[in-house]
Amino acid sequence: MGPKLLKPASLVLALAMLAITASPALAAKKTPTPTPTATRVPATATSAPPTATATAVPPTATATSAPPTATATSSPGATATASPTSGATATPTGTAAATATPAPPTATPVPPTATSVPPTATPAPSGGPLSVDGQYGDWAGRERIVDPTADGNLGGDLHYLYWGTNPNEDNLYFMIERYADSATRSGDSVTYTLRIDTDNDGNFGSDLDRVVTVGYAPKPSKSTVQVRVSRATGTQIASYSGDWGQSDGEGALQVEFRVPFANLGIIAQQTIRMYVTSDEGDRAPDSGDVQWSPVPILGYPLLAAVVAGAIYLVWREKGRLAWKPS
Amino acid sequence: METLLGPLVAVGLWLGLLVFFRAHRIWLPYYALGSVGLATAIIYFGRGPLPLETWLKTITGIQVHQLMDLVGVPTRLFEGVPGALMVLVISQEIGWTVLHIDIECSGLLESAVLVGLLAFYPAWSLGKKLTLMAIGLAATYLANLARLVTIIAVLHWGGKDTLFMSHTVVGRAVFFAIVVLVYWFLLTRPTIETIRHRLGRGVVG
């Protein structure tokens, strides 16, 4: 014990910070962790049995002569199509929606779990992980914006826009809820348009940005939901459909869907902006948008570099003082 | 339980080595291994079996929400997503920005490192260590609140385009500056005083 302890102390500080910030195990968690104290909303809808089918749409622009097809995996009760397009980023590669790898058409449904990442210690959301199954209890307490009533026409008066992610999964989940309508119009169809500014520049019209169109048609005992993902400039990237909304009997208010990161052209640490409109003249939020980054804005490697630099400066100063003659 | 088996074995090994180094008065490895190990253990178990991170994120989110309410900046909390804080941005076009108080912004890393460094410092008594730990943890927590309030203030009045700058540069600069001060007053300065005292008494080594 003596003056030599000063430098080791600083060295330990540096080692500890670096070990902590650079540890892949510690960095593995990339999505919000819900609290176990949240209340769970009772489910109000039943899900259809898995009946997924897949159809392929020929590509609109391709130089290959092989029969281009698309394999699609989706949620229970879903059908999916994908339209591969030309361009470096136009090829849909979503794990939950479509891949443009030429392959024989397949009708084999794939379970909704879109990625095969092994489970980690990341706690599951309080209402369970988000899933597109016609059950809405998993949205309890999730991030959302509330839109005021009566600022849209009947049938398309937006109430909530929910969004979220699951740990270790490359999908964005959304749920849109409208205000209750009069009894005679409870089953009205509605089309929502979710605009996503993927490059976070405040402009929703570039080729990088996306438009997700959701056609929701409630039926007496089920619903039909058609989701189309397109570039803001118009090129369709993928589409999915399924029974993901409430039926007339369930109130015909809520509809949920998910979009793979790949279809949106984003990665996990990307900040995006978004807003939703209905074809009945409503918008949420009423002005501006919601800016959201599903994961930390600064990655762990850069954080480790910043921490290391700061520690080095402290260490240098500390060492100099320690050896200064008294 | 299976997932805990590996970490528990590692803890056992760590404790065994610590006992060995301490018994043989090999202080440098003892301090290095003890500090790093304890900090790592706090973070590992605080993110998994123990809800330390969730607790920190939740309480930090609530208190930042309350602080911003005092200065009239609207924010929203979500009971199902602890640490998620939605901030109203009024500059440019009015809208919302969602911030996530994750492990980095929870202060867990810095708190764990501080505890590790203090807990195994051989020169001080247990009472002094505990006192410094309490002061340090409180100061780190307050520094983190200051960081988040700064980020939100810049966002609220500066606009969404300032998100990266406010979070990565301004907020972090505020936090690191305070944390460096905390480490200086709790570790560096007392260490120098201890050494000077011992040098004055001729008790070195």
Side-chain angles (χ1 to χ4, degrees):
Chain A
M1 188 87 76
K4 288 183 179 177
L5 194 55
L6 291 177
K7 279 195 174 180
S10 302
L11 182 59
V12 167
L13 173 63
L15 288 173
M17 296 294 283
L18 286 174
I20 291 158
T21 54
S23 167
L26 296 171
K29 185 174 162 189
K30 292 184 181 300
T31 51
T33 54
T35 179
T37 59
T39 56
R40 183 185 176 96
V41 174
T44 56
T46 56
S47 61
T51 56
T53 60
T55 58
V57 177
T60 55
T62 177
T64 60
S65 58
T69 59
T71 58
T73 65
S74 189
S75 299
T79 61
T81 61
S83 303
T85 57
S86 62
T89 58
T91 304
T93 57
T95 52
T99 61
T101 305
T106 175
T108 306
V110 177
T113 304
T115 57
S116 58
V117 177
T120 67
T122 305
S126 56
L130 293 172
S131 60
V132 181
D133 56 2
Q135 308 282 336
Y136 304 97
D138 47 3
W139 289 102
R142 292 281 187 167
E143 293 152 280
R144 63 190 177 276
I145 53 172
V146 186
D147 193 62
T149 185
D151 60 344
N153 295 326
L154 293 176
D157 190 7
L158 292 163
H159 192 176
Y160 293 112
L161 168 64
Y162 284 79
W163 62 90
T165 55
N166 284 333
N168 304 314
E169 194 182 311
D170 292 337
N171 294 305
L172 292 189
Y173 288 79
F174 298 95
M175 195 269 273
I176 302 173
E177 181 174 337
R178 58 182 173 177
Y179 281 102
D181 203 342
S182 63
T184 54
R185 295 171 57 93
S186 64
D188 275 358
S189 298
V190 62
T191 299
Y192 300 116
T193 303
L194 179 67
R195 297 187 182 276
I196 301 178
D197 173 18
T198 62
D199 50 358
N200 188 36
D201 63 353
N203 172 18
F204 288 79
S206 78
D207 195 49
L208 294 173
D209 300 328
R210 297 289 188 266
V211 177
V212 181
T213 307
V214 182
Y216 169 41
K219 313 285 187 198
S221 60
K222 63 173 188 175
S223 72
T224 301
V225 179
Q226 176 76 37
V227 178
R228 285 193 303 275
V229 183
S230 306
R231 294 176 185 279
T233 50
T235 309
Q236 179 171 310
I237 293 173
S239 69
Y240 338 100
S241 63
D243 180 10
W244 302 324
Q246 287 184 321
S247 66
D248 282 346
E250 296 161 342
L253 300 179
Q254 298 171 312
V255 58
E256 61 182 355
F257 56 97
R258 74 179 177 196
V259 184
F261 285 178
N263 285 169
L264 296 175
I266 64 173
I267 57 174
Q269 299 191 8
Q270 195 162 331
T271 302
I272 61 175
R273 304 187 193 191
M274 58 192 175
Y275 69 88
V276 64
T277 60
S278 78
D279 62 356
E280 295 294 342
D282 202 2
R283 185 187 197 278
D286 285 329
S287 70
D289 51 57
V290 177
Q291 186 181 44
W292 177 46
S293 178
V295 289
I297 294 166
L298 185 64
Y300 286 94
L302 185 52
L303 173 63
V306 171
V307 171
I311 289 173
Y312 173 72
L313 291 176
V314 175
W315 182 23
R316 212 175 133 191
E317 180 71 7
K318 193 173 169 183
R320 187 177 63 79
L321 288 174
W323 292 104
K324 189 171 73 174
S326 57
Chain B
M1 189 61 194
E2 287 181 6
T3 56
L4 281 179
L5 188 59
L8 289 177
V9 169
V11 168
L13 187 63
W14 172 66
L15 288 174
L17 284 170
L18 284 180
V19 169
F20 173 81
F21 288 135
R22 187 176 179 84
H24 292 80
R25 302 178 65 81
I26 308 172
W27 293 117
L28 177 58
Y30 169 78
Y31 184 51
L33 190 67
S35 302
V36 174
L38 181 59
T40 305
I42 290 173
I43 294 166
Y44 182 85
F45 290 105
R47 303 197 75 198
L50 304 173
L52 188 57
E53 185 192 359
T54 301
W55 180 82
L56 262 178
K57 291 187 330 187
T58 303
I59 196 70
T60 302
I62 291 171
Q63 298 212 332
V64 170
H65 172 67
Q66 292 168 338
L67 284 172
M68 299 319 295
D69 192 44
L70 287 178
V71 296
V73 175
T75 56
R76 300 283 183 271
L77 292 170
F78 304 100
E79 65 270 27
V81 190
L85 197 65
M86 195 160 71
V87 182
L88 181 67
V89 178
I90 59 169
S91 180
Q92 302 153 355
E93 198 173 18
I94 292 178
W96 296 90
T97 294
V98 182
L99 299 173
H100 284 281
I101 302 170
D102 56 7
I103 184 173
E104 181 200 341
C105 290
S106 69
L108 178 62
L109 297 178
E110 293 78 9
S111 300
V113 169
L114 184 71
V115 169
L117 288 173
L118 288 171
F120 286 89
Y121 197 75
W124 296 333
S125 67
L126 180 62
K128 182 172 183 177
K129 289 178 188 175
L130 291 176
T131 303
L132 291 177
M133 268 184 212
I135 296 171
L137 290 175
T140 304
Y141 180 77
L142 292 176
N144 198 41
L145 288 186
R147 179 228 307 252
L148 288 165
V149 167
T150 303
I151 292 172
I152 291 173
V154 172
L155 252 180
H156 178 72
W157 284 293
K160 294 181 177 182
D161 292 340
T162 67
L163 177 61
F164 184 82
M165 178 63 72
S166 63
H167 178 273
T168 306
V169 180
V170 180
R172 188 159 283 134
V174 168
F175 182 66
F176 279 179
I178 300 175
V179 166
V180 165
L181 285 176
V182 170
Y183 276 68
W184 167 259
F185 282 106
L186 295 186
L187 273 169
T188 311
R189 195 170 155 180
T191 299
I192 292 170
E193 287 172 358
T194 299
I195 291 167
R196 280 181 180 159
H197 181 67
R198 292 193 173 198
L199 283 172
R201 290 192 304 158
V203 186
V204 179

